[in-house]
Amino acid sequence: MSKISNEERLAQAIYQHIGGPTNASKVYNCMTRVRIHIIDNQRVETKSLKQVEGVMGVVEDGDTLQVVVGPGTAAKVATVMADQGHIQQGRPVQENLDPDMTSGRGEAERITSENKDKLKQKNDTPFKRALKVIASIFVPLIPAFVGAGIIGGIASIIQNMLTAGALAPGMWDNIFLVLKILQNGLFFYLNIYIGINAARVFGATEGLGGIVAGVTYLTGMLPEAPLPNIFTGGDLVAGQGGVIGVIIAVYLLALVEKNLRKFIPDAIDIIVTPTISLLVVGMITIFFIMPIAGFISTSLVGALNWILQVGGAFAGFILGATFLPLVMFGLHQILTPIHIEMIAATGKTVLLPILAMAGAGQVGAAFALWMKCRRNKQLTNIIKGSLPVGILGIGEPLIYAVTLPLGRPFVTACLGGGIGGAVLGAIGGVGATAIGPSGVALIPLIADGQWPAYIIGLVAAYIGGFILTYLFGIPKTAQSPSEITGSPLNTIDAIEHL
C-alpha cells in the first residue's frame, strides 16, 4: 500500500471536518489558502478543522470557507480535493492574504489596491476624470517610449565614441544609423500614435484620429510657400502645437463625428461622415488649433526651463518634495504631455529626473522603517516585497502600503525626494531622452552623458529619506509587533491629517 502524500492527508482531513465532498460545490485556491464553497455551513466543524496538522488558520467568509495551508501547498491540496470529491475546481485567485507566510509583495499589492480604490472614491472629480483620460492616451505608449528611448541612448553613446575616435567609422556608422532609424520609428510619428489612442479614448474613428494628428506635420507644404499663422502673421511650422494640439483636435473630431451620425443616413454614413469630419476638423486644426496649442506648449516648456534655471536647487527641492502628493492623487498624469513637449523642443526633459527623486526618497524612508521596525513582521514583510520595484521606480506599493498609511514617513519621504531634487536642480541640465522609467531604471535614458549626476541625486534622495525618517518619521506604534499597517482606514486618516 503506497503512502499517501501530505496534500492527500490534508484534503481528506478537510473533507472530514466540512461534512464531506457532498457539502462542497467548488474548490479553488489563492497563494496560501484553499477556498471551498460550502453548501451547508451548519455541517462545518471549524474548531476541529483548526486543530488539523498543517492547517494554519480558518476564515469563514459567507458561503466560502478559507483554509490556510501555506504557499505552494494550497494549489496542490485544492487539486487533490477536486479529484477526491469529484467537484468543480475553480481558477486560482492571484492574491495573498497571509503576509507572515510570504515575502510580503502580495500583501503590499493587496493593500496598495485597496488604498488606491479608497482614494479614487474620495477624489472622483471631473478634473481627476480628465487626468484619467490623459493617462489612457499615453500609458499604452510607455513601453514604446522606454524601448525607443534606450535605443536612442545607445545610439548617443556610439555617436560620442565615434566623435572621440574610440570606435572606427564604417560599420559603427551604420550601426548608429540603424539605431537612430529605430528610435525615430516612434518619435518621428509620435503625433499619429497619440492621435489613434486619443480617438480610441474619445470614441472617434481611430484611423481618422491618426489622420487628424498627421495633419500637424503639414506634409506637402513647400518651404517657399508656407501656410500663414492667422494669429501672428508668421508662418505655420510643422508639428506646431505638438501632442497638446493633437489631443484637442481629436477630441473635436469625436464631437463632430458623433453629431454628424445623428442625422446622416446610414446608407451614406461611411462616405459622408469621415469626409466632412476630416475637412472640418482638419481645417480647424491647421489654422486654429496648431497656432493656439503651439503657443501653450511653447509657453509651458519655456516657463519650466526658466523656473529650473533661475530657481536651481530651491526649484528642484519644491518639485522633488511635492511630486509624491501629485502621484497619490493621480495629478502627475498631466505632466506626461509636458515631458513629451520638452523632449520635442530640446531633446530631453529636465523635469523627469528631478521628479524621479520623489521615489528615491521613499526608498530611503522604507529602509529606515525596515531597520527601526524589525519587530513589526507584517510591516517589514510588506517593505521587503515593495522595495525591489520601488528601487526600479514603481512607487505605488511603497506609497499606499507603507509610508502613507503611517503618515509621518510619507512626509519625510517627500522631504528626502526634495533633497535629491535640490541636488539635481543645483547641478542643472540633467535630462532624460524619454519617459516611462524612474529610479535606477531611468539611468540608461539620461541624456548627454550626465548619468553620474543623476546617480548623485538618487543617492542624496536615498540618504535624505533614510535619515529624516529614521530620526523624525517613525511612529512608535509602527515599532510594535502587533501593529497592522496599511489598512485603508489608516490611509484615509493619514491623508486627512497631512
Side-chain angles (χ1 to χ4, degrees):
M1 182 177 179
S2 61
K3 183 179 179 181
I4 67 170
S5 67
N6 181 56
E7 290 78 19
E8 291 172 326
R9 178 190 61 78
L10 270 172
Q12 291 174 4
I14 291 171
Y15 271 138
Q16 180 183 344
H17 295 289
I18 67 169
T22 58
N23 197 34
S25 61
K26 183 179 179 181
V27 61
Y28 57 107
N29 66 279
C30 63
M31 185 179 292
T32 58
R33 305 182 183 199
V34 177
R35 302 185 178 207
I36 310 156
H37 284 191
I38 299 297
I39 297 172
D40 182 3
N41 286 323
Q42 299 297 322
R43 296 169 61 185
V44 177
E45 302 169 353
T46 304
K47 290 184 179 179
S48 300
L49 182 57
K50 290 180 179 179
Q51 303 303 315
V52 172
E53 182 182 355
V55 173
M56 305 175 189
V58 177
V59 178
E60 296 177 273
D61 183 14
D63 293 334
T64 302
L65 188 72
Q66 302 176 19
V67 184
V68 183
V69 294
T73 305
K76 295 177 182 178
V77 172
T79 301
V80 172
M81 288 185 67
D83 291 340
Q84 287 182 353
H86 303 289
I87 60 175
Q88 179 186 0
Q89 182 176 9
R91 296 177 61 184
V93 179
Q94 299 301 320
E95 63 176 320
N96 167 35
L97 302 176
D98 305 287
D100 292 333
M101 304 171 195
T102 69
S103 66
R105 181 173 180 179
E107 177 72 353
E109 291 173 351
R110 180 183 68 82
I111 293 173
T112 297
S113 177
E114 290 177 353
N115 291 342
K116 289 180 77 173
D117 288 342
K118 283 279 186 177
L119 286 174
K120 287 177 182 177
Q121 295 171 11
K122 188 178 178 70
N123 299 284
D124 187 20
T125 64
F127 180 64
K128 289 295 297 297
R129 288 194 289 271
L131 294 180
K132 185 177 180 181
V133 168
I134 293 175
S136 299
I137 294 171
F138 288 100
V139 166
L141 287 171
I142 286 179
F145 282 121
V146 174
I150 290 176
I151 288 172
I154 296 171
S156 297
I157 293 172
I158 292 174
Q159 184 180 36
N160 292 337
M161 295 180 73
L162 283 168
T163 303
L167 294 176
M171 180 186 72
W172 285 106
D173 284 327
N174 290 333
I175 292 175
F176 167 75
L177 178 60
V178 169
L179 293 178
K180 291 300 291 184
I181 290 172
L182 292 174
Q183 179 192 19
N184 290 336
L186 170 67
F187 292 105
F188 193 79
Y189 304 103
L190 180 60
N191 283 358
I192 295 175
Y193 302 139
I194 292 173
I196 293 171
N197 282 355
R200 184 183 303 119
V201 171
F202 294 138
T205 301
E206 294 176 20
L208 295 180
I211 294 173
V212 167
V215 164
T216 62
Y217 292 121
L218 300 178
T219 304
M221 185 182 73
L222 299 176
E224 62 272 16
L227 292 171
N229 183 325
I230 63 175
F231 294 98
T232 65
D235 298 334
L236 282 176
V237 179
Q240 191 171 358
V243 297
I244 295 175
V246 169
I247 292 172
I248 296 171
V250 176
Y251 178 74
L252 178 62
L253 171 70
L255 294 179
V256 171
E257 269 198 276
K258 290 173 184 177
N259 282 283
L260 283 174
R261 289 205 164 96
K262 290 179 180 179
F263 61 87
I264 298 293
D266 292 343
I268 59 173
D269 174 73
I270 189 63
I271 299 172
V272 175
T273 300
T275 304
I276 295 178
S277 297
L278 279 179
L279 280 172
V280 172
V281 178
M283 297 286 282
I284 293 174
T285 299
I286 293 171
F287 293 107
F288 290 93
I289 294 177
M290 284 182 66
I292 295 172
F295 174 78
I296 294 172
S297 60
T298 301
S299 299
L300 280 173
V301 173
L304 284 170
N305 283 327
W306 180 83
I307 289 170
L308 291 173
Q309 289 171 4
V310 174
F314 177 75
F317 178 84
I318 297 299
L319 290 169
T322 57
F323 186 60
L324 282 184
L326 290 180
V327 173
M328 184 180 72
F329 291 110
L331 302 178
H332 64 299
Q333 305 291 357
I334 200 171
L335 297 173
T336 303
I338 297 174
H339 288 310
I340 294 174
E341 289 298 333
M342 294 183 81
I343 293 170
T346 65
K348 62 183 180 182
T349 167
V350 294
L351 188 60
L352 181 58
I354 291 176
L355 299 181
M357 297 299 104
Q362 272 209 116
V363 170
F367 274 114
L369 285 164
W370 191 357
M371 287 188 62
K372 210 163 183 179
C373 303
R374 288 189 295 270
R375 295 172 62 201
N376 188 335
K377 296 301 182 184
Q378 182 174 12
L379 176 60
T380 54
N381 276 339
I382 294 171
I383 291 172
K384 285 187 287 186
S386 303
L387 264 176
V389 293
I391 292 171
L392 292 174
I394 301 171
E396 281 84 352
L398 284 176
I399 292 177
Y400 293 104
V402 179
T403 61
L404 185 58
L406 292 172
R408 274 192 286 164
F410 180 76
V411 176
T412 52
C414 289
L415 295 175
I419 292 172
V423 170
L424 290 188
I427 295 172
V430 180
T433 58
I435 63 172
S438 185
V440 173
L442 187 60
I443 293 174
L445 300 181
I446 298 300
D448 305 323
Q450 289 189 306
W451 57 267
Y454 177 73
I455 292 177
I456 292 171
L458 276 180
V459 173
Y462 290 154
I463 295 173
F466 178 87
I467 292 176
L468 290 172
T469 303
Y470 193 88
L471 295 179
F472 309 110
I474 300 180
K476 291 182 179 179
T477 52
Q479 301 177 54
S480 168
S482 61
E483 170 72 7
I484 299 177
T485 63
S487 71
L489 180 60
N490 286 345
T491 298
I492 299 302
D493 289 344
I495 293 169
E496 292 176 346
H497 287 88
L498 285 177

